[in-house]
Amino acid sequence: MSPSAALDDSKGNGPASGPLTVDGISGLRAKSAPIPLGVAPATSSDMFKSSNCYTKPKAKRFDHVFSLESKSRTVSTLKGAAKFLKNPGIISLGGGLPSPEYFPFEEISIKVPTPPGFSPEETRESGAVLSARKGDAEAGKGLYDLQVALNYGQAMGSPQLLRFVTEHTELIHNPPYADWQCCLTAGSTYSWDTTLRMLCERGDYIMMEEYTFSSAQETVLPLGINVVPIKMDEQGLMPESLDDTLSNWDEAVRGARKPFVLYTIPTGQNPTGATQGFERRKAIYKVAQKHDVFIVEDEPYYFLQMQPYTGGDSSPVPPPANHDQFIKSLIPSYLSIDVDGRVLRLESFSKVLTPGSRVGWVVGSEQIIERFLRNCEVASQNPSGIAQIVIYKLLEEHWGHKGYLDWLINIRLSYTDRRNSMVQACEKHLPREIASWNPPAAGMFHWIEINWQKHPGLSSGKTRQDIEETIFNAAVSNGVLISRGSWFKAQNLNENQMFFRATFAAASSDAISEAISRFGGALRTEFGI
Amino acid sequence: MSPSAALDDSKGNGPASGPLTVDGISGLRAKSAPIPLGVAPATSSDMFKSSNCYTKPKAKRFDHVFSLESKSRTVSTLKGAAKFLKNPGIISLGGGLPSPEYFPFEEISIKVPTPPGFSPEETRESGAVLSARKGDAEAGKGLYDLQVALNYGQAMGSPQLLRFVTEHTELIHNPPYADWQCCLTAGSTYSWDTTLRMLCERGDYIMMEEYTFSSAQETVLPLGINVVPIKMDEQGLMPESLDDTLSNWDEAVRGARKPFVLYTIPTGQNPTGATQGFERRKAIYKVAQKHDVFIVEDEPYYFLQMQPYTGGDSSPVPPPANHDQFIKSLIPSYLSIDVDGRVLRLESFSKVLTPGSRVGWVVGSEQIIERFLRNCEVASQNPSGIAQIVIYKLLEEHWGHKGYLDWLINIRLSYTDRRNSMVQACEKHLPREIASWNPPAAGMFHWIEINWQKHPGLSSGKTRQDIEETIFNAAVSNGVLISRGSWFKAQNLNENQMFFRATFAAASSDAISEAISRFGGALRTEFGI
C-alpha cells in the first residue's frame, strides 16, 4: 500500500462521514456542482464521488504496465482548443459539430416497469413512459437533453450517466483508494480489447482460468499474446497455481517476460459457473501483490449472485430483507479490496439490463483510466448517445438507486429459480455414476463433469476428445444442444477431464427439465448404463 | 481487373436488368428471402443485393495486405455450434443469451419528421411517432422486434438495417465488382481504427493528405504507423504527388516498406474543404492500381455536396428536380469506380442523421469485410441495437429510400445556404491583401489561407508558427474561435503556408457573419492594414 498521499480537501462532495449509503446520495448531490448540460462536456467521476473517497491514500503508480502503443498516446489537439469556449461572448467556428436541427429525432420515449411491478404484465399495468426531447434542458424538463445525446460526446461518457454509475460503484464497491474513476465504454468486450492493447505487447503471456470465456480468449490470441492457464477448483482460480506459475516462470524457456496481467471472471465464471469466495479473492490478491500482477476482473454476472442452493426438499433461504442486506450479501469484489489500484474492473449492463445497449463501464485508478480513455477517444469515441440516454432515463429519472437495487434483487431471485430448476433436473435425470456437478452460486452456467474414463469407447482406442464429440453428437441427436467443455479450454491447457456447459439463462423451467432429461438419455446410451 | 469470375446464378435477387433504381427496390425485395426475425441471425449483403451485381467480375484477392494480427483471426468457436439450432425441436442450453423478460424496456418510440416537412416546427405538425415493442414480430407488427434489438447481435449488424444500407449503397455507388459487402460498425472512427489494425504493422507508413483530420491521424500514430503527406491543390489530393512518393520510395532510406495504404477524405475534406472532381478521382485510382495501393475513402461529408457557389448577386442554381437528378449530381465515389476491390469505404450517419447513434458502416470486397468482421466480433461486437432499431424505424418504416433522399436533398440545400453565408461573410469582411480561399463545394469547412509573409512580425524574427499563434490569439481576444491550420498538418509535413479553418456547420448565418467580421478585424490589426 502506498504511503498516505497528500489529501486534497477541495475534492469530493459533502463532509467525509463514512461510506456512502443509498440514503446519503441525495445529500451528496445537493452539495455537488450542477451537471453540465451542454454538448460533449468534460467530465469525470471526481465530480460525483463523496468526500469519504478522499480520506483514503492514492493508488500506486503503474507506469511499468503500459504497452508502447498506450505510452504513445497523446491528448487530442482539437480538445485543447475547447478551453477558449469559456470566454464570454465568443463565437466558435472551431469544432465540426453538426447543428441539432439536422438530427431528425424530436423525441424518444421508452415504456419501462415501475418497481416492484417488474413483469411484462405489471409493466402494462403500472409501467411508466419516459421521454426525452430536443429542447428539454432549455425548458427545465430534464438534465439530459436529446439534442445533446444525439451529438458527439466525450469518450468518458455523458456526465448524466457517469454520475449514476459512479455513485453505484461507490455504493457497492467503495474502493479503498482515493483516485478511482469510472469510464463508460461501448460494452465489456470492447473494454477487454482496449485493456489488452493498453497493457500487452506481442509475445507476452497473460494468465487466465484454465477454462475461460472463449470470446475473451479469441480477443487475446490474434494480438500475438499467449495464455498461461491457471488451475481451478470448485471456487475457481487457485492462488497456489497462480503463485507456482509466477514463482517458477523461466523467461528463457518461455521466451517471454514474466506475466503481469491476470484476467479472471470471479463470480459465476463462464463456463464453469464457479464463484470465488471472499477468502479466495483475498488470497489471490495477495499473490498478485507479491508478484506485482495487474488484475482485470470481468464481472458481468456479479448481480447474478443467487440465494444459497438448499436442495429439492429444504425450505429456501429468505430473500434479502432490504437494500442494505442485499448489498452485504454480495461477495466483495477485487475492486473493493484493491488498496494498490492494481485492478481494472469491467462492468456490464448486458446481463442485468440489456446487451443491446452496448454500454458498459470500467473502474480503475485515475492513471489507468486516463490511458484507457486515450484509446477510446480515437476508436469507439463514446458509447452510443441514444443508448446512454435510454439507460439514463430508466435508472436515474425513474428507478433511482433504490429502484435499481429492487430490480437487481428481482433478477437475483429469478436466476435462483432458474438455477434450482437446472440443478433439480440434473439430480433427477443425470446418471450419477458418470456425471457430477456443484450447484452454481452465481451466473448463468452449470458445469457438468463427465467421467469419460468409464466410456466403452476407451477400450477401442477413442481419445478423450473423440468421446467428448461422440457425447455431444448423441445429445444433439437426442434434441438438446449443450456446449462442449473443450470449446472453453485456455491455450496451453492439457485437458484430462471432460465437461459440458449448460445455461439456465434462456430456456423455461420445463424446457430445462426436458433438455436435461434428453442429455441424461444420451449419456446413458453412450455409457451403456 | 481480374478475369471474369465464375458467376453464381443463384445469387442476387430478381432478374439482372440493369442498375438498381429507387423504384426497383420493392420488386427486388419481393423476390428476396424474408428477413430473419430471430436473435442474432447470420446475415450479409448477399441477401439484399440485386442480380445486376453478379453480372460483374469478382474483386481481386488482396491476401498480401493483411497484418499479422488480422491473419491470425479465426471464426468464433461458439458460432460454429449455432448450426445445430436449425434442428427441429432442439432445446438449446448452449448460448449465454439472457431471456428477454430481463430487459426492462417494453417499448421504444421516436418522434420524427415526415417528408417534406423536415423542420422542427413541421415535425410538431406532421411528424410521426414510430414505436417498437417486445412482441412486435410475433404480433406481425414489424420486422425488427425490440426484444431482438435489446439482445446480443451479429457483428455484421442486424439484417433489418443492413438491408437498408446495402440497397442504399447499390443505389448510390453500384460498385463495379460482384462480391462487395456492407458491414455495420460502431461509427467511422472505430472503422478506421479497425482498418489500420487489419492492414498495417508497426513501422509501416501510410499516405494521407498533407492537411488531414487530426483525430484520424491520432488514431494512426500510437500504433507505430507513420504518415507520408501527399500534396494537395484546390481539388485536394494530387495524383502526381502520390505517384512521385511511391515511385521514389527508398526502403533503405525510409527504413520501411513501400506504403500501400492511402487514407483520403475525397469530398469536403477536413480541414481544407477540398473536393476531388471525378477526373481527379480516376487519376488517383490509376496511380493506386499502378502501385497496388489500397484506398480507404472516409466519406462522412459525401451528402454535404452543395449547389455550385454562384457569388453574392448571381441567381442560385435550381435544386435537383428529382431523386435521379440528385443522385447524378453527386461526384462518383472511389467505390463506384473500384473495378479491383481495392477500396474500403467508411460510411457515417454522423453528418446526415446523428453522430450520437455511433452506427456507421463500411463497404468493401467480401475478402476485406470478412477480415474486418473478425476483429469487430471480439471487440465492438456490434453497434448498439437500441441505436440500430431507432435508425431502422426512421429510414425503413417511415421514410423509405425516397424519404431519405428527400432528407439528403434538404440537407444539401441547408448546407448550401450555410456555405454561402460563410463565403459571403469572407468576401465582405476579410482583407483580400492577405486572405484567400476557394468556396467549398462540399462539407462543413472553409479553409482560409493567410499570406503570413506580409506579417510585420517577420522582420523581428518571428517564425511562421509564431505568427500563426499570434493571429489565433488575436482572433480569440476579438471574440472568435477559429482552428489553426497547423493542428491538422500531417506528420512529416514541412509547413510553409498558413491556413485557418472555419466551420459553417453550427453557427447561425448572423453569427457566422459576426464571427468572420471579428476575424477580419483581428487580421487587420495584426497585419497593420
Side-chain angles (χ1 to χ4, degrees), chain A residues 69 77 91 93-95 102 106-107 109 111 150 152 189-190 218 351 354-356 379 381 385 418 481 501 503, chain B residues 77 91 93-95 102 106-107 109 111 150 152 189-190 197 218 351 354-356 379 381 385 418 481 501 503:
Chain A
E69 174 184 318
T77 311
I91 305 174
L93 304 177
Y102 303 129
E106 289 303 313
E107 183 171 346
S109 303
K111 179 151 193 190
L150 292 173
Y152 287 101
T189 308
Y190 179 71
E218 284 157 5
K351 306 303 190 288
T354 160
Q381 286 216 358
R418 290 178 165 276
L481 182 63
R501 188 196 78 172
T503 175
Chain B
T77 312
I91 304 174
L93 303 178
Y102 303 128
E106 290 303 313
E107 183 172 346
S109 304
K111 180 151 193 191
L150 291 173
Y152 286 101
T189 308
Y190 179 70
R197 298 184 190 277
E218 283 157 6
K351 306 303 191 287
T354 160
Q381 287 215 359
R418 291 179 165 276
L481 182 62
R501 188 196 78 172
T503 176

Side-chain angles (χ1 to χ4, degrees), chain B residues 221-247:
Chain B
L221 300 179
L223 307 187
I225 302 165
N226 300 299
V227 173
V228 48
I230 307 296
K231 289 198 174 62
M232 307 173 78
D233 63 11
E234 73 287 351
Q235 280 199 41
L237 203 67
M238 294 168 71
E240 303 77 10
S241 172
L242 189 64
D243 192 24
D244 275 1
T245 300
L246 290 161
S247 299

Side-chain angles (χ1 to χ4, degrees), chain B residues 356-464:
Chain B
S357 70
R358 294 291 85 212
V359 175
W361 75 100
V362 296
V363 193
S365 77
E366 186 172 353
Q367 181 187 23
I368 301 290
I369 296 298
E370 190 273 339
R371 288 290 93 188
F372 186 94
L373 192 66
R374 291 285 93 79
N375 187 349
C376 295
E377 280 171 353
V378 293
S380 63
Q381 287 215 359
N382 54 270
S384 167
I386 297 175
Q388 284 191 67
I389 199 169
V390 161
I391 293 177
Y392 166 84
K393 284 275 160 185
L394 173 69
L395 292 184
E396 168 71 27
E397 291 194 357
H398 190 52
W399 284 359
H401 287 282
K402 290 183 182 183
Y404 187 41
L405 292 173
D406 287 340
W407 170 259
L408 294 172
I409 293 169
N410 166 59
I411 294 265
R412 174 191 183 96
L413 299 177
S414 294
Y415 272 88
T416 299
D417 287 347
R418 291 179 165 276
R419 185 269 323 269
N420 292 352
S421 297
M422 173 64 81
V423 177
Q424 283 156 17
C426 289
E427 287 170 354
K428 190 167 168 193
H429 296 300
L430 296 192
R432 294 285 194 138
E433 305 92 307
I434 52 144
S436 58
W437 58 85
N438 297 300
M444 301 180 150
F445 301 112
H446 188 46
W447 189 237
I448 302 164
E449 180 165 8
I450 302 297
N451 186 346
W452 63 279
Q453 310 275 5
K454 292 193 179 167
H455 192 276
L458 201 66
S459 57
S460 60
K462 281 194 170 172
T463 64
R464 201 210 61 83

